[in-house]
Amino acid sequence: MENKQLLIREATKSDLPIILKLIYLKAQFDGCPESVEATLQKLEDTLFCNNPIEFILLAEIDREIIGFASYHYIYSTFLAQTCLWLNDLYIKPERRGKGIGTALIERLCQIAQENNCGRIDWTVSINNPKGIKFYERIGATIIQKVRLCRLDKNAIASRDRIC
């Protein structure tokens, strides 16, 4: 990594504008910028309320925010234990390959250990071979036999099709 000091820290309310910008950059990277519905107010309401439902770690070098990881707690019935769900991990392209993603994952591992979490789960796009290699390099198992399932807000609203 560079000689400059890397800081991994919890986000604060004053970070909301850069968090929103990073979310848009992540969506562009994923090829779906039109799917972002986040606003500063929505982020404030969910990240900085009495019982936050999501947490953000920021990666910073010389006061420049260069990446983030968002996560929340889940429960595994198989383990009968709390686990972490890594929702998003994003590093600005010009800063990749310098240990920043590893530092974010290491901090998530510390948080998981501090909270007696049984594991950390996440998804990775099959169109992200560099991400897949990175996750395998840090020791992640890429489970091929499961598929992400989703009911979007339209499907939720039209429940009559389910029954």
Side-chain angles (χ1 to χ4, degrees), residues 98-161:
K98 298 179 177 156
I100 298 159
T102 301
L104 283 163
I105 295 291
E106 285 174 355
R107 180 64 188 121
L108 282 172
C109 289
Q110 289 173 343
I111 291 167
Q113 287 179 318
E114 290 165 4
N115 292 281
N116 194 33
C117 294
R119 65 182 184 223
I120 301 172
D121 290 321
W122 67 94
T123 61
V124 60
S125 171
I126 59 172
N127 297 320
N128 185 0
K130 288 182 180 180
I132 292 169
K133 283 182 183 180
F134 165 70
Y135 294 137
E136 288 174 333
R137 190 172 65 249
I138 64 168
T141 302
I142 309 294
I143 301 168
Q144 302 291 333
K145 59 185 173 181
V146 296
R147 299 277 190 228
L148 175 67
C149 299
R150 176 178 293 152
L151 291 173
D152 65 15
K153 64 183 176 184
N154 294 328
I156 292 168
S158 60
R159 292 186 321 268
D160 57 328
R161 291 186 302 158

Side-chain angles (χ1 to χ4, degrees), residues 63-119:
R63 299 183 187 242
E64 178 194 358
I65 306 297
I66 56 173
F68 80 107
S70 64
Y71 68 97
H72 58 265
Y73 293 89
I74 59 172
Y75 184 78
S76 167
T77 54
F78 287 11
L79 299 178
Q81 191 172 7
T82 302
C83 302
L84 284 186
W85 180 266
L86 171 59
N87 198 29
D88 287 310
L89 178 68
Y90 179 79
I91 310 298
K92 289 182 176 179
E94 67 275 12
R95 300 294 193 146
R96 293 181 188 153
K98 298 179 177 156
I100 298 159
T102 301
L104 283 163
I105 295 291
E106 285 174 355
R107 180 64 188 121
L108 282 172
C109 289
Q110 289 173 343
I111 291 167
Q113 287 179 318
E114 290 165 4
N115 292 281
N116 194 33
C117 294
R119 65 182 184 223

